[in-house]
Amino acid sequence: MSNWVVILTSLAYLALLFAVAHASEKRWFSKKSLIDNGYVYALSLAVYCTAWTYYGSVGRASSKGLDFLTIYLGPTIASFLFWPVLRKIIRISKVQRITSIADFISSRYGKNITLSGFVTLLCVIGIIPYISLQLKAISISIKIITNQPEQATTLDSFWNDNSFYISIILILFIFLFGTRSVDTTEKHEGMVTAVAFESLVKLLAFMAVGIFVVYGTFEGFGDLFQRASQKVNVSELLDIELSSGYFAWFGMMLVSFFAIFFLPRQFQVSVVENISEQHITKATWVFPLYLLLINLFVLPIALGGKVLFDGMAVDSDTLVLKIPLLLGQPLLSLLVYIGGFSAATSMILIETIALSTMVSNNLVLPLWVKKNEFQRNSDGFSGSDIILIRRIAIVVIIILAYGYDLLVAQHLQLVSIGLVSFVAVAQFAPSIFGGLYWKGASKNGAIAGLVAGFALWFYTLVVPSLVSAGILPDSILTEGLFFQSYLKPFFLFGMEIEDHIVHSAFWSLFVNSSLFVVVSIYSRQSTFEIYQSELFVDIFQHKDGGLQKPIWRRTALREDLRMILANFLGNERTEKMVQNFAHKNKIDPDLVYADPKLVEFCERVLSGIIGSASARILVASVTKEEEMKTEELISILRESQQMIELNKELKKKSLELEKAGLQLKAINNQLVQMDKAKDEFLYTVTHELRTPITSIRAMSEILHDNPEMEVETRNHFQYSIIKEIERLSRLISQVLSLERFESGKQKLEYQSVNLNSMLDSAVNSIAPLAEEKRIHLRIQIPNAMHLVRCDEDMIMQVLNNLLSNAIKYSDDGTDIEVILETNFNEYQISVKDSGPGIPLHLQEAIFDKFFQVKNQVLRKPEGSGLGLAISKRIVELHGGKIGVESESGKGSKFYFSLPLS
Amino acid sequence: MELKKILIVDDDPYILMSLDYLMRVNRFDVLVARNGTEALESINSNKPDLILLDIMMPDVDGYEICNRLKSDPQTKEIKIVFMSARTKPSDIQKGYDLGASLYITKPFSTRDLLKQIKELLSHRLY
């Protein structure tokens, strides 16, 4: 393929990337920020997959089988810990305005300058080879696709090298989208969107070549594996033990587990650029899914390469690109090239921004600030100076990376360079994880561990590479340093681990964490360290991430503080920020001496701009601080701990109280209901009493006022009065009786009763009433004597009620039957009429008290409306049941049962 | 002189009987009805001057009857006197809202009732 096609395509792709970044910053697509989205967040995490993995995984799979997966398994496992661990790091970083991994470590251990600078150096030294690897990948892939010899570029011909010019374009890109604002806590929208976009491109490109190999070249996975197994021992490649051994697997997984948290670019996208903690939940499954997809075709491509390039000498690191070229697919080749290009550029972009922030905020500025303490009325340095520092850092980093590629990298295996960086950042694990969960972790412990770990890493991985490059003598490798054989870099203390990476990781991490723990235990923390450790470890317990009352009684002239901030933010923004904060916290912003809270706030704002260590020094230069003794701080912390406990307790208590309140409310409701029922009952009773009283009063008054009334009428009136008074007393006694039942005062007087004779006498006593309506009463009793224990008067009352109801509702001249039946363990007595019947939906309700009153459908002038209600209670008190079977128009059968025993 | 016509509506036979007697003795033309349906029929054919009306009746209740009469121009002049065991203020208010001339609660004094009925009908009586 001709050179200019590739150049033009690369430039077009970069232009597209510019457009995407620019569009995102201008919010062309939506009003909401594009990066305020869980999927974009998850995709930006995929900056993890660089050109090294894009090309190198297939290479590693070709020689070591499944071993390449370890680099993805570590992060996959880590993603399950995103919610507890990553969220904690994010929360702390937001509260403390931390913008890099160096800042994070230094903040935890008292905003220490030494730590901050040392971690930055470690990152720069550890990561530059990794960046150079990306540049190398770009330049090699261009050479392959344009069919030039694959030899590395040398110092005297680099201006002929495409990747040199691409580096320059990348620098411009970073200047534009990565270093515009001095406040690094502000998000790099365009940058992150571009990186998420690049993640999609590299995934699609890699899957395209994978699908092409499996389905375009072979006939699916089965065919591919079958044909590959004729060339190589596939099962050997799939065997973990044979490929690299379980110890190496574990070591690699552990190192890549740390890398996903601590690589500067990962910290940048996952922590600094994070907008919402909620996005973590999405990343927890989207990110591992991404890793799965991009790895799906690694082994098939590796095996396919073995079949296609059978017998030919080919660098398996370049198979991904060489396969489509071999099969004459120029478009696909170009796509694959762009995929690799995107993997490389996204890594370079983010890594460089992260490193430049660190170099400026954690290395240059702290030193500068320390040397030139703040002087009133002097210009000092300003925001634009800082941006300049960062831009210089970016150029220097890229030049170093490029130079490393020219001078050292060409002597090294492509694959190992990335892992060397992984082991470097893994050194942060003890001080960060320890610092997150162990308050006792101290600055001295962190420094001791880091220095030792870094030294061992350097000795066991970097020194050998310098030997390979011819910079150091061979004897170090073969004989050991100073000819001491136990100091051989690859076999330290005689440790025989074949994999140099795992060997280095083991020694450096082992010594690092041991020193970290031991020194922490035996060293004293400064007061400020104790304070920071409290804020880090218990971040989720403190409201707004800080202690409720300001601990540091620092004051400063308001004017000094304002000037410091204004240097970096400008007068207007400074004024606005201070006013906002003062308003929110109800502080008077115009006091000559600033409130301690305001001082703390200013320090945090500055942290986001110049790093926490420099911010602390700068603010300290204008503040007067009362000395605080460690004991004093500890007692305040203990107090605050007690407050937290107390709050928890209080919350628990108030929950209990709320529960009790709810119960009380329920009971009250019940009472109100009961009260209502009682009121209603009373109202109905008085209502029922009013009717007979009305007629009694009317008739009495008329009798009294009309002495000339005829005798016949007079007699009729007097008789009616007597009847009405009877009705009244009946009603009253029934109400009282019902009340006795309801309050449980009613007792039964059990006696042995002959049912035959009881039914007879009930029928006899009601007979006159029946005769008035010419109604026939018939009794059906089986032949035998039927004895039952019951309260005779009560049961008589029930029978009487049922019979009189039946007569009341029956038409003249009809029949009423009284039936006695015996079941297994009870008697059943029924009264059957051929009256109007009761509709189904009322059959239960008629046993309610005053049913008639409320449902006037059935109302007849006689009756209290309590008869059935009382009957029901009597039967139930005997342990029996009462009910009715009826159909409208076909009569009713009321029945009740009495248990035999 | 023509006698004033009074319709007494109640489902309690004793109340019906006593009021019937009371009104007759006091020289009214008396009609009785034992439920809502009978009452409406009687009103149609007899055009009473005043109705003594119970509220709680099984078929058509007193409120409903009053409502119908007051919304018909032919019958809206008929004076309505409710007599009811319902003593809640809201029930009484409802009665007056429907256009009743009087609402008396049971039990009542026949002497007062008589006096008030005479007053209600007076401007036409004399």
Side-chain angles (χ1 to χ4, degrees), chain A residues 688-807:
Chain A
E688 287 302 286
L689 291 174
R690 279 169 200 280
T691 308
I693 291 173
T694 305
S695 52
I696 292 166
R697 179 168 182 185
M699 289 187 284
S700 318
E701 282 176 358
I702 291 166
L703 279 176
H704 184 265
D705 295 346
N706 298 284
E708 71 280 11
M709 198 187 256
E710 298 131 55
V711 180
E712 206 178 316
T713 320
R714 179 176 300 271
N715 283 343
H716 187 54
F717 267 56
Q718 285 166 342
Y719 176 74
S720 299
I721 291 174
I722 295 167
K723 280 279 159 205
E724 282 293 83
I725 290 177
E726 279 174 6
R727 178 175 155 195
L728 202 54
S729 16
R730 204 163 51 236
L731 183 64
I732 290 170
S733 69
Q734 282 187 333
V735 167
L736 291 176
S737 151
L738 196 66
E739 200 275 332
R740 277 199 306 279
F741 277 105
E742 298 211 323
S743 59
K745 282 180 213 145
Q746 182 67 52
K747 296 284 180 287
L748 296 180
E749 280 175 37
Y750 277 104
Q751 58 201 95
S752 200
V753 177
N754 183 342
L755 273 180
N756 308 42
S757 54
M758 183 165 75
L759 287 182
D760 274 336
S761 71
V763 166
N764 283 334
S765 68
I766 206 90
L769 213 60
E771 271 160 27
E772 278 178 30
K773 297 176 81 173
R774 292 178 289 107
I775 286 171
H776 264 86
L777 289 169
R778 291 196 306 220
I779 310 183
Q780 288 183 27
I781 301 180
N783 281 331
M785 201 167 69
H786 301 283
L787 286 175
V788 72
R789 285 191 63 81
C790 67
D791 185 322
E792 192 175 9
D793 288 348
M794 291 282 166
I795 296 301
M796 260 318 248
Q797 211 179 315
V798 176
L799 277 171
N800 194 47
N801 178 247
L802 295 185
L803 281 168
S804 60
N805 280 347
I807 292 169

Side-chain angles (χ1 to χ4, degrees), chain A residues 312-504:
Chain A
M312 285 186 259
V314 60
D315 181 359
S316 52
D317 279 345
T318 56
L319 268 179
V320 186
L321 192 51
K322 279 183 177 159
I323 288 175
L325 282 171
L326 177 79
L327 297 172
Q329 297 281 337
L331 275 180
L332 184 64
S333 312
L334 211 54
L335 179 66
V336 169
Y337 160 74
I338 288 298
F341 186 69
S342 72
T345 50
S346 60
M347 184 278 187
I348 297 172
L349 292 179
I350 301 293
E351 204 79 89
T352 315
I353 290 181
L355 284 180
S356 74
T357 307
M358 268 193 254
V359 168
S360 81
N361 288 11
N362 301 100
L363 194 65
V364 179
L365 286 174
L367 295 176
W368 191 352
V369 169
K370 187 131 185 113
K371 229 171 126 186
N372 314 289
E373 288 202 345
F374 176 77
Q375 283 159 6
R376 209 160 293 145
N377 304 325
S378 82
D379 282 345
F381 49 81
S382 68
S384 55
D385 291 336
I386 294 174
I387 291 184
L388 185 66
I389 294 174
R390 281 188 202 143
R391 289 190 168 161
I392 292 171
I394 287 163
V395 175
V396 170
I397 288 164
I398 300 237
I399 288 175
L400 282 177
Y402 194 75
Y404 183 86
D405 182 25
L406 291 183
L407 298 174
V408 186
Q410 51 186 297
H411 306 282
L412 300 177
Q413 275 179 287
L414 195 89
V415 143
S416 62
I417 300 178
L419 286 173
V420 169
S421 298
F422 274 33
V423 179
V425 294
Q427 303 309 320
F428 303 145
S431 26
I432 289 184
F433 286 141
L436 275 178
Y437 296 100
W438 179 33
K439 287 185 192 167
S442 81
K443 177 192 78 192
N444 292 340
I447 291 178
L450 278 170
V451 169
F454 179 68
L456 279 163
W457 165 79
F458 193 86
Y459 187 67
T460 52
L461 285 178
V462 181
V463 166
S465 75
L466 296 178
V467 172
S468 311
I471 298 168
L472 291 172
D474 274 354
S475 65
I476 296 180
L477 264 189
T478 50
E479 318 274 338
L481 189 62
F482 311 126
F483 303 99
Q484 302 294 317
S485 66
Y486 62 89
L487 288 180
K488 282 185 198 164
F490 284 153
F491 306 99
L492 215 53
F493 305 110
M495 169 75 88
E496 300 262 347
I497 298 175
E498 203 190 321
D499 191 317
H500 304 326
I501 300 291
V502 178
H503 170 265
S504 169

Side-chain angles (χ1 to χ4, degrees), chain B residues 49-64:
Chain B
D49 297 292
L50 183 145
I51 305 174
L52 280 172
L53 189 55
D54 185 21
I55 290 175
M56 285 164 74
M57 288 179 297
D59 48 353
V60 187
D61 78 15
Y63 289 136
E64 174 62 24

